[in-house]
Amino acid sequence: MPVSLRLVLPFMLLPFMLLSASPVAAVTFQDCTKVQMDYIAGAVKSAQKLSLRAAAAVGDSEDYARWFGTYSRGNAERVRRTLKSIDHALGSDQMRAVCARTGYSGCDYGTYANVIPDRPYNINLCEAFFRMPTLMSMVPGSEEHQSGTREGTLIHEMSHFSVVGATNDECYTRDVCTDMAAGDPRRAIINADSYQYFAEDTVRYLAPVVK
């Protein structure tokens, strides 16, 4: 059964870190227009950098506590490992993006994307995905801010794959997921939105992603 998503963000400045990223993905497209392919390619490239920078930012911090609850070395290592696996998955030459119309492939009007966890790395991208902003064009506090970014969507969906993070949709929306992290860190570290929000929050005001 497909797993789908909701999204959103606040933010902080982190020092730029030189890291060894996975190669940029050679994405296979299905039923996509040229414009859609350009949007997807840009989002994949940016999401790779975001996920790797977020992995480097995992530590005993306010951002970590906001999305994953009370810090522990074991939980933090799982979070870091999942974010690195997301970077690797986004760089895989097995990634396949399907541009699905509303009413098909699990895409209702309010769904941005979905995956089947045991079928890496196939992602159905719904029509709503292409109306989302990029992270660098996001206006904090805006209505769009509550539903997130294209990059965050890809991080969320990649985390669902069994070979990546095996995450679930334990909660949606920033307020609900923040409350869950405070009360139940064990659920937070297996929640897809938590990875998305953490990545978005910790890298929002980093130096612009170099293309």
Side-chain angles (χ1 to χ4, degrees), residues 93-166:
D93 60 7
Q94 299 175 50
M95 184 176 172
R96 180 167 169 263
V98 180
C99 297
R101 291 180 296 156
T102 301
Y104 295 87
S105 302
C107 288
D108 60 29
Y109 184 78
T111 300
Y112 302 121
N114 64 70
V115 301
I116 296 175
D118 62 356
R119 296 184 186 176
Y121 299 110
N122 297 339
I123 301 181
N124 292 320
L125 297 173
C126 307
E127 291 179 352
F129 173 84
F130 300 100
R131 297 191 292 269
M132 301 182 80
T134 65
L135 188 62
M136 299 312 294
S137 69
M138 175 68 70
V139 178
S142 67
E143 185 175 346
E144 287 181 327
H145 174 259
Q146 298 305 311
S147 56
T149 65
R150 293 177 204 154
E151 296 94 335
T153 298
L154 293 177
I155 289 169
H156 175 120
E157 293 302 330
M158 277 297 186
S159 77
H160 278 315
F161 289 117
S162 302
V163 297
V164 176

Side-chain angles (χ1 to χ4, degrees), residues 29 39 45-46 48 53 61-62 64 69 71 86 89 95 120-121 125 127 142 149 163 166 182 185:
F29 300 101
Y39 281 2
K45 188 174 181 179
S46 183
Q48 272 191 270
R53 290 173 180 175
S61 66
E62 290 183 6
Y64 179 93
Y71 178 85
I86 291 169
M95 184 176 172
Y121 299 110
L125 297 173
E127 291 179 352
S142 67
T149 65
V163 297

Side-chain angles (χ1 to χ4, degrees), residues 141-210:
S142 67
E143 185 175 346
E144 287 181 327
H145 174 259
Q146 298 305 311
S147 56
T149 65
R150 293 177 204 154
E151 296 94 335
T153 298
L154 293 177
I155 289 169
H156 175 120
E157 293 302 330
M158 277 297 186
S159 77
H160 278 315
F161 289 117
S162 302
V163 297
V164 176
T167 62
N168 302 319
D169 290 317
E170 299 288 329
C171 64
Y172 290 124
T173 77
R174 295 180 74 84
D175 289 346
V176 174
C177 292
T178 298
D179 289 344
M180 187 185 75
D184 197 345
R186 291 175 298 177
R187 290 177 66 198
I189 65 171
I190 59 169
N191 180 55
D193 259 8
S194 301
Y195 287 89
Q196 176 189 330
Y197 299 148
F198 178 76
E200 289 176 337
D201 283 6
T202 57
V203 301
R204 176 62 179 88
Y205 290 124
L206 278 170
V209 173
V210 177

Side-chain angles (χ1 to χ4, degrees), residues 76-104:
E77 181 51 39
R78 171 162 183 167
V79 170
R80 185 181 298 108
R81 185 169 60 246
T82 296
L83 287 163
K84 288 181 177 179
S85 295
I86 291 169
D87 164 68
H88 177 77
L90 287 164
S92 171
D93 60 7
Q94 299 175 50
M95 184 176 172
R96 180 167 169 263
V98 180
C99 297
R101 291 180 296 156
T102 301
Y104 295 87

